[in-house]
Amino acid sequence: MPPLPSSILARSELFSRPASHIVNHSISSGGSQRHEQQQLAVIPTAVDVRINDLVGNGISGILQKWVNYGKGWRPRWFVLQDGVLSYYKIHGPDKIVINPETEKGFKIIGDESMRIISRNRISHYSQHCRKPFGEIHLQVSTIRESRSDEKRFSIFTGTKTLHLRAETREDRVAWVEALYAVKDMFPRMSNCELMAPVNNLAISTEKLRHRLMEEGVSEAAIQDSEQIMRNEYAALQSQLLLFKQKQLALIDNLRQLETEKVDLENTVVDESQRQRQGNDQDASSILGQEKFSEASACGSEDDNERNDAADEETDDDDDAAFFDTHDFLSSSGSFKSNESDFRASSFSSDDEGLSAVGFEEDADPSIRTVGTNYPRVKRRKKLPEPAEKEKGVSLWSLIKDNIGKDLTKVCLPVYFNEPLSSLQKCCEEMEYSYLLDRAYEWGRRGNTLMRILNVAAFAVSAYASTDGKICKPFNPLLGETYEADFPDRGFRFISEKVSHHPTIVACHCEGTGWKFWADSNLKSKFWGRSIQLDPVGILTLEFDDGEVFQWSKVTTSIYNLILGKLYCDHYGTMRIQGNGSYSCKMKFKEQSIIDRNPRQVQGVVQDRNGKTLATLIGKWDDSMYYVNGDYGGKGKSYESLAEAHLLWKRSKPPKFPTRYNLTRFAITLNELTPGLKEKLPPTDSRLRPDQRYLENGEYEMANSEKLRLEQRQRQAGKMQASGWEPQWFAKDKSSGTYRYVGGYWEARQQRNWNPCPNIFGQIPSDHLLG
């Protein structure tokens, strides 16, 4: 064996620990009769663990390994040998047999580890039980000690992280130093060594000279050729060195991200452990204990281990305490079946209806019909079949050039769009408008509490359509409009892009006894692996009796743009306030990496004195319920579950799914029903050519038209600066918001669209600027 580096030998001197923590364990035998003897070398001062011993045999002992939130910390038997850290189960049918024979010559860390070995002095189990459940190669791993817990440390491999906890602080020191010592036996080459210049590196021109001389080339020409060859080689070497520098810079960045990831996971585990400990006392009555026994010559000792019970997750803060909504909503006996929870609206006689109208079974029958007694209109149930096969595109090549930029200014191919514009997305949030019809009816009957509860459910339901979305809507052109006349839902809707910089979309909707309007400016940032969307603007709802409610949207983030499954999350606090007696505050819980039940929403309705009159519970992608009074439980108490009432339930998915994950309602938004095209203004989103080509699956034409319209849109800034004004909305000087000025539906009835330019064609001459 070659001599070890001095750095490794120096590190090995640090392995002196009290004998109660590191014990030399060996087996001796003699004579014809085999005699097994466990020799525990109890030395009062220290044991010198040399690196040669580590290489020859190894170190082993018990460490607690973090499994998941449901299981928490579980003991595992770890073995460090030949640069590999392996771990085994010590309970259950797949447990490792730990006895003096199996651990012959190993260094044992920890008192608990020694107790297990002592308990199994004589064991006749076969050695096939030693198959490890996991292995970590230290050469490609990073070891970090926790700063918040003196017993914990982590090992990061680049693909996964092991969170480990020793029995004592001294045990952690012993393990970490052993891991570092073994890791130093397989060192990585440093950046300085990689970048060190190579001395006496030269290129031979002898063969070139000899070949040129055979051709009778003059000496001067030969020397020129040799110099050209040397210069080209030097340039190539410089390029290779530059590439190497970029590679090393990237590696340094990856190592920094690796460190930050481990720190973040340590923080998450710390928080989860605190939540788990807080819940253990409440959950002790429902958590069972399962006993496992281990074979021994003198008998057995029972080691109790918790069942894999799923604890309720809480997120305590100053505003509200979250609890497991899934368990709350799915408790047996607390709620009716799905068939009784919702029914299709009146125009949906089969399972292909566009809406699911939630109701409480004990509600007033007259309330149940509100929002459903509208005439039936036949609409499409699927998008046209694509005319072309979609082509792939490199997402990374687009992302790396746009990190940190405003997403609305990034030019993306049409493959990243869905066949809807942002104007139509505003209308998509009106899918559950029946909640506003009910709110109006409740208020008309004098029940203002039920009114604000239905308004709150409507505000949450606007996010349901974002579930599973992977494409962005088209950015409207300046002056682009969209109308939606839905007599089958009892509302009509108009929206318009009223500003180009900043991008502002205004909308106005009228229903039975209510009006809704909003203008939104979406601030977005491209962070490479994620997009953060911060909405700016106020949503206003006014009932015919004069009561007004206002609220703002919460933050939205889209994750895993490069690797993994794309998903979006909504988080933050939403406050619904008005001129009435009640206000509502709802908290959208931010999803964590270990969250078993994400997308939870919880809120309260309070009067002017701050008294809580009702509690809202649900998930923004599924349903919302309310409980009368202040429900302060955390998912453990079941007394009040029977009092929960359904406010809203998400519609069923479409029978014909789309690659854009559109809902049944969204599939109808870009439809041109018979006779509709003649009634629309030339600015309507349904007439936008690139969007229509995309819906039909004509991707080449869609890309071509998108590029043409984006080039045309560059004139929009000049048009706006020259005094351009929106056609159907005007800015309220007092509030700074855009309000509908009227006249659209009258112009539609008369089919008088003369003031509306053909924005999807050529730019009108009166809008061109020099």
Side-chain angles (χ1 to χ4, degrees):
M1 184 179 196
L4 294 171
S6 59
S7 61
I8 297 180
L9 293 175
R11 185 180 290 276
S12 69
E13 296 177 1
L14 299 175
F15 279 89
S16 297
R17 288 290 168 259
S20 60
H21 300 293
I22 304 181
V23 181
N24 185 13
H25 178 217
S26 63
I27 303 294
S28 63
S29 61
S32 60
Q33 181 180 4
R34 178 175 297 275
H35 175 68
E36 294 184 349
Q37 175 185 1
Q38 181 182 8
Q39 182 182 13
L40 303 180
V42 181
I43 304 174
T45 56
V47 176
D48 186 14
V49 182
R50 299 192 177 278
I51 196 68
N52 286 341
D53 294 334
L54 290 176
V55 175
N57 291 290
I59 283 183
S60 60
I62 287 181
L63 289 172
Q64 297 284 332
K65 176 181 176 292
W66 177 263
V67 179
N68 53 44
Y69 188 81
K71 298 181 180 180
W73 296 98
R74 292 297 172 92
R76 299 288 186 262
W77 187 263
F78 282 78
V79 175
L80 176 59
Q81 189 177 31
D82 298 330
V84 177
L85 181 67
S86 308
Y87 57 91
Y88 308 78
K89 287 188 176 182
I90 60 176
H91 296 295
D94 299 322
K95 68 182 179 182
I96 182 179
V97 178
I98 306 169
N99 56 34
E101 183 63 28
T102 59
E103 300 302 314
K104 181 178 180 180
F106 275 68
K107 307 301 177 181
I108 310 300
I109 297 180
D111 294 338
E112 179 64 22
S113 305
M114 288 307 308
R115 280 195 292 269
I116 289 183
I117 291 181
S118 300
R119 199 163 58 233
N120 298 294
R121 289 197 181 121
I122 302 175
S123 178
H124 303 286
Y125 281 80
S126 60
Q127 294 304 305
H128 72 272
C129 298
R130 291 185 55 84
K131 182 179 180 181
F133 272 78
E135 293 182 342
I136 301 297
H137 293 265
L138 295 181
Q139 183 181 12
V140 294
S141 302
T142 301
I143 305 160
R144 291 183 59 83
E145 299 177 64
S146 173
R147 290 173 289 186
S148 59
D149 188 340
E150 63 182 8
K151 300 178 184 178
R152 277 192 31 228
F153 61 100
S154 302
I155 303 177
F156 180 72
T157 66
T159 58
K160 65 179 180 179
T161 303
L162 260 67
H163 299 280
L164 306 174
R165 186 175 65 187
E167 185 180 358
T168 64
R169 180 178 63 86
E170 291 79 9
D171 288 350
R172 184 184 80 164
V173 173
W175 271 110
V176 170
E177 290 181 350
L179 292 170
Y180 273 122
V182 174
K183 180 177 173 60
D184 286 346
M185 298 180 63
F186 309 93
R188 292 180 179 178
M189 189 176 294
S190 66
N191 288 357
C192 296
E193 293 172 326
L194 289 172
M195 295 302 299
V198 180
N199 297 327
N200 301 325
L201 183 63
I203 180 174
S204 174
T205 62
E206 189 62 30
K207 292 183 179 180
L208 176 63
R209 167 177 285 275
H210 181 70
R211 183 71 181 86
L212 293 177
M213 289 178 65
E214 289 179 351
E215 296 293 332
V217 180
S218 65
E219 179 64 24
I222 292 176
Q223 292 180 1
D224 288 343
S225 300
E226 289 178 328
Q227 187 60 41
I228 291 173
M229 185 175 179
R230 293 190 187 97
N231 292 342
E232 290 295 325
Y233 177 77
L236 178 61
Q237 192 173 27
S238 299
Q239 289 292 329
L240 291 175
L241 185 62
L242 180 61
F243 287 142
K244 193 67 177 180
Q245 291 172 345
K246 291 181 178 180
Q247 180 191 15
L248 293 175
L250 178 60
I251 291 175
D252 288 338
N253 291 335
L254 290 175
R255 288 175 179 170
Q256 179 65 25
L257 291 174
E258 168 190 311
T259 301
E260 294 174 358
K261 180 179 184 292
V262 173
D263 290 340
L264 175 61
E265 289 185 346
N266 284 333
T267 303
V268 170
V269 172
D270 287 339
E271 180 64 23
S272 301
Q273 185 177 358
R274 286 193 293 270
Q275 294 175 0
R276 182 183 177 87
Q277 291 172 351
N279 289 338
D280 279 347
Q281 186 174 0
D282 294 335
S284 60
S285 61
I286 62 174
L287 289 177
Q289 297 291 329
E290 186 173 350
K291 297 183 178 181
F292 298 95
S293 62
E294 295 184 348
S296 173
C298 301
S300 64
E301 293 183 10
D302 292 334
D303 292 322
N304 293 334
E305 184 174 7
R306 283 193 184 95
N307 288 331
D308 298 346
D311 294 342
E312 306 296 342
E313 181 178 0
T314 63
D315 185 11
D316 298 327
D317 54 35
D318 296 335
D319 298 329
F322 281 94
F323 52 89
D324 200 324
T325 308
H326 176 75
D327 291 347
F328 182 97
L329 300 181
S330 62
S331 300
S332 60
S334 300
F335 299 100
K336 311 300 179 184
S337 64
N338 287 341
E339 288 75 18
S340 62
D341 274 345
F342 65 89
R343 63 186 177 89
S345 55
S346 59
F347 55 81
S348 306
S349 58
D350 54 20
D351 62 348
E352 298 180 9
L354 298 180
S355 175
V357 182
F359 67 96
E360 315 89 68
E361 198 165 82
D362 56 348
D364 188 331
S366 60
I367 288 292
R368 299 185 192 180
T369 62
V370 173
T372 65
N373 50 353
Y374 295 118
R376 176 172 179 172
V377 176
K378 185 177 181 181
R379 302 189 184 276
R380 68 181 182 182
K381 300 181 178 70
K382 62 179 181 178
L383 296 181
E385 293 295 329
E388 302 172 7
K389 184 178 180 181
E390 189 175 4
K391 295 181 179 179
V393 63
S394 174
L395 180 60
W396 172 244
S397 64
L398 298 169
I399 291 177
K400 65 184 178 65
D401 295 328
N402 295 289
I403 294 177
K405 295 183 181 180
D406 187 345
L407 183 61
T408 60
K409 300 178 182 178
V410 176
C411 181
L412 296 175
V414 74
Y415 305 107
F416 295 101
N417 289 94
E418 61 181 0
L420 294 175
S421 71
S422 296
L423 301 171
Q424 292 165 309
K425 296 294 288 184
C426 293
C427 184
E428 188 178 12
E429 298 178 4
M430 305 302 299
E431 178 175 359
Y432 303 97
S433 59
Y434 69 83
L435 292 168
L436 301 183
D437 295 339
R438 290 186 177 181
Y440 169 71
E441 183 62 24
W442 278 119
R444 195 176 65 85
R445 299 185 183 189
N447 193 335
T448 54
L449 175 60
M450 286 302 301
R451 168 174 282 187
I452 193 172
L453 286 171
N454 278 270
V455 171
F458 171 78
V460 174
S461 71
Y463 295 96
S465 62
T466 64
D467 181 29
K469 290 296 182 66
I470 58 175
C471 298
K472 65 182 291 286
F474 281 87
N475 186 21
L477 305 184
L478 186 64
E480 185 174 337
T481 63
Y482 175 74
E483 70 158 59
D485 187 7
F486 281 86
D488 44 345
R489 293 176 178 268
F491 74 80
R492 58 184 187 179
F493 172 94
I494 172 67
S495 58
E496 182 179 10
K497 182 174 180 179
V498 296
S499 174
H500 185 61
H501 290 302
T503 300
I504 300 178
V505 171
C507 66
H508 179 88
C509 186
E510 299 175 357
T512 305
W514 54 267
K515 295 178 181 178
F516 172 84
W517 66 88
D519 59 0
S520 62
N521 175 19
L522 196 64
K523 293 184 177 180
S524 58
K525 283 294 183 180
F526 222 48
W527 295 121
R529 292 182 294 178
S530 65
I531 302 173
Q532 180 178 332
L533 307 174
D534 296 310
V536 179
I538 298 176
L539 293 78
T540 305
L541 174 66
E542 181 181 4
F543 292 99
D544 287 355
D545 55 17
E547 189 169 13
V548 178
F549 295 97
Q550 289 186 324
W551 66 92
S552 297
K553 292 188 174 183
V554 297
T555 300
T556 298
S557 288
I558 303 173
Y559 300 98
N560 294 340
L561 294 178
I562 302 176
L563 295 175
K565 183 179 180 181
L566 272 175
Y567 73 95
C568 71
D569 189 27
H570 310 288
Y571 52 90
T573 301
M574 177 184 289
R575 293 177 173 84
I576 303 177
Q577 298 175 325
N579 58 359
S581 304
Y582 304 119
S583 63
C584 179
K585 178 182 177 181
M586 293 186 292
K587 184 73 174 293
F588 287 65
K589 181 183 178 183
E590 184 173 5
Q591 183 174 348
S592 66
I593 59 175
I594 60 172
D595 205 341
R596 294 185 302 109
N597 192 23
R599 304 176 176 182
Q600 295 185 51
V601 181
Q602 185 176 344
V604 293
V605 174
Q606 297 177 327
D607 60 15
R608 292 177 179 176
N609 298 323
K611 180 181 177 181
T612 299
L613 302 178
T615 303
L616 288 152
I617 313 114
K619 301 175 72 173
W620 55 259
D621 66 331
D622 182 71
S623 58
M624 288 298 295
Y625 292 80
Y626 76 92
V627 177
N628 289 318
D630 186 0
Y631 181 81
K634 298 182 180 181
K636 300 295 183 183
S637 175
Y638 294 92
E639 289 78 13
S640 62
L641 292 183
E643 301 175 6
H645 306 281
L646 178 67
L647 285 169
W648 159 75
K649 188 174 183 66
R650 181 181 176 181
S651 299
K652 292 180 289 185
K655 184 177 180 180
F656 305 98
T658 67
R659 65 173 291 268
Y660 312 104
N661 287 321
L662 299 180
T663 63
R664 294 173 183 263
F665 180 60
I667 289 175
T668 68
L669 293 179
N670 202 47
E671 180 184 10
L672 278 172
T673 55
L676 178 61
K677 185 175 181 179
E678 293 74 17
K679 300 178 182 179
L680 295 176
T683 55
D684 194 275
S685 295
R686 294 181 182 88
L687 306 180
R688 179 167 175 160
D690 52 352
Q691 184 173 309
R692 182 60 59 183
Y693 281 129
L694 176 62
E695 181 181 284
N696 294 333
E698 301 177 68
Y699 303 113
E700 293 294 337
M701 289 297 299
N703 269 317
S704 176
E705 285 296 310
K706 187 172 186 287
L707 179 61
R708 180 183 69 83
L709 292 177
E710 286 178 349
Q711 292 174 344
R712 180 203 181 285
Q713 182 69 353
R714 295 191 177 96
Q715 295 288 335
K718 298 179 181 180
M719 293 166 52
Q720 189 171 340
S722 66
W724 178 92
E725 293 292 338
Q727 186 70 33
W728 312 110
F729 291 82
K731 194 170 186 178
D732 187 353
K733 296 181 179 179
S734 59
S735 62
T737 60
Y738 283 87
R739 294 289 305 274
Y740 176 59
V741 297
Y744 178 88
W745 301 105
E746 292 77 9
R748 184 182 191 272
Q749 186 176 5
Q750 300 172 7
R751 301 192 182 183
N752 179 19
W753 303 119
N754 293 330
C756 302
N758 181 14
I759 62 173
F760 304 128
Q762 299 300 321
I763 304 177
S765 57
D766 57 337
H767 287 171
L768 286 173
L769 300 174

